[in-house]
Amino acid sequence: MNERLEAMKRRVRAGAHKLYRQKPPDLRAAPDLLAEFQAEGLSWMQRSARLTSRMCAFEAQRPVILPDEHFVFTRTATRVPEIHSHEEWRDLTEGRTIHELGPISNICPDWGRLLSEGLEGRRQVALSSRSRLAQDAQAVEFLDCALETIEAVLALAASYAAEAQHLGHNQIAEVLGRVPAHPPHTFLEALQFLRLCHAAVWLNGHYHVGLGRFDQYMWPYLQADLEEGRLDLATAEELLAEFFISLNKDSDLYPGVQQGDNGQTLCLGGVDREGHPAVNEITYMSLRVSRDLGLIDPKINLRISADTNLELLTLAAELTRKGLGFPQFANDDLVIPGLIAHGYAPEDARDYTVAACWEFIIPGRGMEVVNIGAVSLPAAADHGIREGLAAGDDFRGILRRVKENLRGQVDRLAGDYERLLLPPAPFFSVLMNGCLERGQDLSAGLAYNNFGIHGAGAANAADALAAVKFFVFDRGAISPDQLLEALEKDFIGHEPLRRLLAEEGPKVGNQSDLADELLRRLFDDFARTCEDYGRTSRGGLLRPGTGSAMYYLWLASGNPGMREPLVGATAEGRQQGKPFSANLAPSLGAPVAGPISVLQSFSKIDYRRVCNGGPITMELSDTVFRDPESLSKVALLVRTFARLGCQQLQLNSLSLTNLLEAKAHPEEHQNLIVRVWGWSGYFCELAPEYQDHIIARHMHAFQ
């Protein structure tokens, strides 16, 4: 990190770039666009394309070039105007399900193909298809709109090139004279190409736009520079650091549940489409740059296997030590077979990347909605326990009720999405495989059109069932009536019983065969329910997963729009309103034997059937990283994770003292970064309930 980069980082963290944003009086108001669209009688597809033109035009997106930049883009348009009136939107969407905010999100373009063809190459594909499909009015309309968006982004690049020429930044002007119209020839050109086109997707109102397998598609350009002597590694690393800093400029404008939840992820390592090891110099470089910068974007995912070398894992541990909450690890040995089992071609499965949080997707080939909601595993367990005990069921009867409840939850979630309406996305379609070629918008689907469902609160659900089996049926230490009364009263007046359940009951993560077997059974039942559902209206499958996203709070304490009822007190000793554990982690407050014990519990899940992703989440005390030997232990822990047969891992370095101080004195800790669920953010920007959950998580230390 030289002084130029340090100064650039300080400016971004201080928000200096916000001075260039348009002020409210200068913004093109939504009614102006609506009047234009209505007067011209534009279709939804045409409005989407025109929006791209307006957002890339000089009036909205004025070129900003700072003296020390090697490549450029600073967003000046702060919001994306509406393209429909309230009445039009109501008529368009009546009786349909809209995913989240509406626009297509949380998928990944094929950046490698886009770089190799350039926007001019994509234009030629569109023109060829338009000629071939000239009698298909719908295809012609889509292709004309796609061509309009290409022109808009090229015009945005041209406006930056003209400004660079005016300011005497000749190198920037020369680069923008070539990209993104044409394929880049150098690493610098590839970074500029990617920065501009990535930003343009966000300007269209799309969000959670991933960067995919960054080290794979960027390596040919760096490799050529190194071989031809145009660049050395130190200079390349400096350019990469500048690119990473630039991704932090506009993130406050990106929607999410909390600040930082913006989906700017990239994936490193793993194997290529033929199955050969694909780690390269950019893999290492990206980890080093992210470590040295200490910023929340981009979020790093590292693909590994049981054979990944310890040098790479140790470098990853150095990044974890910074407290950023990444890299998140994905185990190729489990992920690839799981995707193949769900119908993905082997070469596509090997090419997977990670969506906004942890879900596995294929760059350029999937129009998948990987987060249609979550089943509440604690709700299913609690339903089975309360209804079963009241009816005099044996434990097998309780488990049958749990399975029936899970089926009902899955059917409700999937049923809603049978009516899914995806808006047209002409520019995003330009970046995907097959849309221009067949003359069909991305919203109509791609090779993979699956839906993903999270399985939230797994450890709490398994612990609750294990407590009932152990204390009620095996030992007879608690009668069904005693437990039901205690649950109904939220354990008020039943504190000794609550403590018995919480402190002495079998627990996931604590070498309990009973709890672990019930954990596996819950996910097997969840998977079977998704398998039995069959194909959806979009021709895809339901992919069950092991993540929780924000549902670890929402299912426990409520959120507007939640379909499932809140879960009251639960049989593992949790009181009403207390959050569940996030992702795959022991129940909050549960005594566990240590990190290896936690890995052993979660290794028992059949990940071939549960392939939507969702990491084992561990909090490590910052004392774990005190010396090089400790870093080696963290690397060995990650290797153990892979060799035990676990799917995904998230390691977070926390200092309880720092967290408590940051909550009390936020003004002194503005740069404190934490992992929240599948993303990282600045601790002091989080809502109190998320701060409290992070403080309450387990922290492991090595002896």
Side-chain angles (χ1 to χ4, degrees):
M1 284 285 288
N2 57 34
E3 179 53 36
R4 183 182 75 89
L5 293 172
E6 289 283 4
M8 189 174 290
K9 174 184 169 182
R10 286 194 300 269
R11 287 201 305 270
V12 168
R13 285 294 295 132
H17 55 285
K18 298 178 183 179
L19 296 174
Y20 300 99
R21 292 177 178 173
Q22 294 185 33
K23 305 300 186 288
D26 302 324
L27 294 176
R28 178 178 287 272
D32 292 336
L33 289 184
L34 289 176
E36 175 184 325
F37 296 162
Q38 292 168 345
E40 296 185 35
L42 299 186
S43 68
W44 197 350
M45 182 75 71
Q46 291 167 334
R47 293 184 188 203
S48 299
R50 186 71 61 84
L51 175 66
T52 306
S53 297
R54 291 290 183 265
M55 290 298 290
C56 290
F58 181 82
E59 293 81 4
Q61 198 52 57
R62 303 188 179 188
V64 175
I65 300 176
L66 301 177
D68 56 352
E69 290 182 323
H70 287 108
F71 48 85
V72 294
F73 183 79
T74 296
R75 182 165 166 174
T76 60
T78 58
R79 66 184 182 90
V80 180
E82 299 291 340
I83 63 173
H84 292 106
S85 68
H86 293 303
E87 293 77 15
E88 289 172 330
W89 183 248
R90 181 196 61 214
D91 293 342
L92 283 168
T93 60
E94 186 175 3
R96 305 296 297 273
T97 295
I98 302 302
H99 180 62
E100 293 186 348
L101 302 179
I104 287 174
S105 64
N106 212 13
I107 61 172
C108 182
D110 188 344
W111 295 116
R113 180 174 186 175
L114 183 66
L115 287 164
S116 69
E117 295 184 12
L119 287 179
E120 283 291 351
R122 299 304 287 156
R123 190 213 305 264
Q124 293 307 311
V125 172
L127 289 171
S128 175
S129 295
R130 194 187 188 288
S131 176
R132 176 170 47 85
L133 300 169
Q135 303 307 310
D136 184 337
Q138 189 172 3
V140 168
E141 180 188 59
F142 159 67
L143 291 165
D144 283 346
C145 289
L147 288 164
E148 181 179 344
T149 67
I150 292 172
E151 292 290 349
V153 176
L154 291 176
L156 174 62
S159 72
Y160 263 94
E163 180 70 5
Q165 192 72 51
H166 172 70
L167 295 174
H169 295 297
N170 295 329
Q171 183 186 41
I172 293 174
E174 290 172 7
V175 168
L176 288 168
R178 291 190 292 273
V179 300
H182 305 288
H185 295 299
T186 68
F187 187 55
L188 172 60
E189 289 181 2
L191 290 171
Q192 177 66 81
F193 189 128
L194 182 60
R195 173 64 180 143
L196 198 64
C197 288
H198 181 253
V201 184
W202 290 90
L203 286 174
N204 284 262
H206 302 291
Y207 58 99
H208 287 170
V209 184
L211 291 158
R213 302 195 67 191
F214 183 79
D215 56 350
Q216 301 307 297
Y217 60 76
M218 293 299 291
W219 173 236
Y221 305 103
L222 178 57
Q223 185 179 34
D225 278 355
L226 295 173
E227 289 176 352
E228 296 179 25
R230 290 191 295 262
L231 209 60
D232 58 30
L233 283 175
T235 306
E237 198 153 320
E238 184 176 340
L239 289 173
L240 182 60
E242 183 177 341
F243 178 75
F244 280 11
I245 292 170
S246 73
L247 294 175
N248 291 266
K249 279 185 180 179
D250 308 321
S251 57
D252 64 306
L253 300 176
Y254 300 159
V257 174
Q258 293 277 288
Q259 272 294 311
D261 176 25
N262 56 47
Q264 291 197 108
T265 61
L266 60 79
C267 198
L268 305 171
V271 297
D272 62 19
R273 290 177 63 83
E274 287 71 46
H276 305 303
V279 172
N280 58 49
E281 185 57 47
I282 296 181
T283 315
Y284 286 89
M285 186 184 295
S286 297
L287 292 173
R288 290 194 300 268
V289 167
S290 186
R291 175 198 65 193
D292 295 343
L293 285 176
L295 293 169
I296 64 171
D297 286 309
K299 281 82 173 171
I300 307 291
N301 293 272
L302 182 61
R303 287 176 47 173
I304 66 168
S305 69
D307 299 322
T308 297
N309 70 67
L310 286 175
E311 179 188 4
L312 183 61
L313 297 180
T314 301
L315 177 56
E318 292 180 19
L319 180 50
T320 301
R321 175 169 58 182
K322 293 293 293 282
L324 303 177
F326 46 77
Q328 181 172 247
F329 300 94
N331 183 1
D332 278 6
D333 297 339
L334 273 293
V335 176
I336 294 171
L339 291 172
I340 292 172
H342 281 76
Y344 293 80
E347 61 272 19
D348 288 340
R350 298 185 196 108
D351 200 32
Y352 77 87
T353 186
V354 176
C357 289
W358 48 69
E359 303 90 346
F360 305 117
I361 57 176
I362 314 303
R365 288 173 166 78
M367 184 49 259
E368 304 186 275
V369 184
V370 293
N371 55 344
I372 70 170
V375 298
S376 174
L377 296 171
D382 189 58
H383 169 83
I385 290 166
R386 293 189 191 228
E387 297 292 325
L389 291 180
D393 288 357
D394 60 13
F395 192 66
R396 285 180 297 179
I398 289 174
L399 292 178
R400 282 195 296 272
R401 292 177 186 270
V402 173
K403 187 174 182 178
E404 290 167 2
N405 184 276
L406 286 175
R407 186 172 299 277
Q409 291 192 51
V410 168
D411 286 347
R412 285 191 291 277
L413 284 169
D416 285 346
Y417 274 76
E418 293 293 349
R419 302 183 298 274
L420 177 66
L421 177 64
L422 291 174
F427 182 64
F428 217 146
S429 299
V430 171
L431 315 183
M432 307 299 281
N433 293 330
C435 296
L436 297 183
E437 289 78 0
R438 70 176 191 271
Q440 198 169 44
D441 186 77
L442 171 59
S443 57
L446 285 176
Y448 305 109
N449 301 286
N450 301 317
F451 294 154
I453 304 179
H454 304 309
N460 292 86
D463 290 353
L465 290 168
V468 172
K469 178 70 164 64
F470 184 70
F471 289 115
V472 176
F473 290 100
D474 292 350
R475 286 196 170 184
I478 303 172
S479 73
D481 289 343
Q482 280 180 301
L483 181 57
L484 288 172
E485 181 182 358
L487 292 174
E488 186 66 27
K489 293 185 176 180
D490 196 24
F491 293 110
I492 296 172
H494 298 271
E495 181 61 16
L497 189 150
R498 190 198 69 78
R499 292 189 62 178
L500 176 69
L501 294 168
E503 297 173 7
E504 298 184 32
K507 295 288 188 290
V508 170
N510 203 28
Q511 299 179 344
S512 166
D513 290 339
L514 173 59
D516 293 351
E517 175 56 33
L518 288 166
L519 175 76
R520 180 185 174 104
R521 177 166 184 146
L522 282 166
F523 279 114
D524 283 349
D525 287 347
F526 179 24
R528 175 53 60 92
T529 297
C530 291
E531 292 159 3
D532 289 347
Y533 190 88
R535 294 282 173 177
T536 71
S537 60
R538 293 183 64 82
L541 300 173
L542 300 182
R543 299 193 332 184
T546 55
S548 65
M550 58 282 178
Y551 296 101
Y552 65 91
L553 291 180
W554 288 7
L555 293 170
S557 57
N559 187 73
M562 288 297 299
R563 288 287 301 269
E564 301 305 321
L566 291 182
V567 185
T570 43
E572 79 279 18
R574 171 195 152 275
Q575 290 184 285
Q576 182 174 336
K578 300 291 184 183
F580 301 116
S581 59
N583 304 321
L584 293 180
S587 301
L588 291 180
V592 295
I596 301 300
S597 177
V598 172
L599 294 177
Q600 288 171 330
S601 284
F602 293 121
S603 71
K604 297 174 184 177
I605 297 169
D606 185 353
Y607 292 106
R608 285 178 182 251
R609 300 181 70 188
V610 186
C611 77
N612 199 53
I616 300 168
T617 301
M618 290 188 184
E619 323 302 327
L620 301 180
S621 168
D622 59 345
T623 60
V624 164
F625 302 92
R626 57 186 175 270
D627 54 38
E629 181 182 355
S630 298
L631 286 173
S632 297
K633 289 182 178 179
V634 174
L636 288 170
L637 176 66
V638 176
R639 174 175 280 182
T640 301
F641 144 82
R643 291 185 172 178
L644 282 173
C646 302
Q647 177 182 246
Q648 207 167 25
L649 177 66
Q650 207 177 80
L651 296 177
N652 310 319
S653 173
L654 296 177
S655 164
L656 183 58
T657 299
N658 288 345
L659 293 175
L660 294 173
E661 287 181 356
K663 189 164 186 186
H665 304 287
E667 69 283 355
E668 299 175 9
H669 298 271
Q670 293 300 304
N671 292 319
L672 178 61
I673 296 172
V674 292
R675 191 73 166 182
V676 186
W677 57 81
W679 52 276
S680 300
Y682 294 101
F683 180 80
C684 297
E685 294 178 355
L686 301 176
E689 59 268 28
Y690 293 100
Q691 293 180 336
D692 292 342
H693 191 277
I694 291 164
I695 289 170
R697 292 175 186 169
H698 290 277
M699 279 190 283
H700 301 285
F702 297 152
Q703 302 300 320

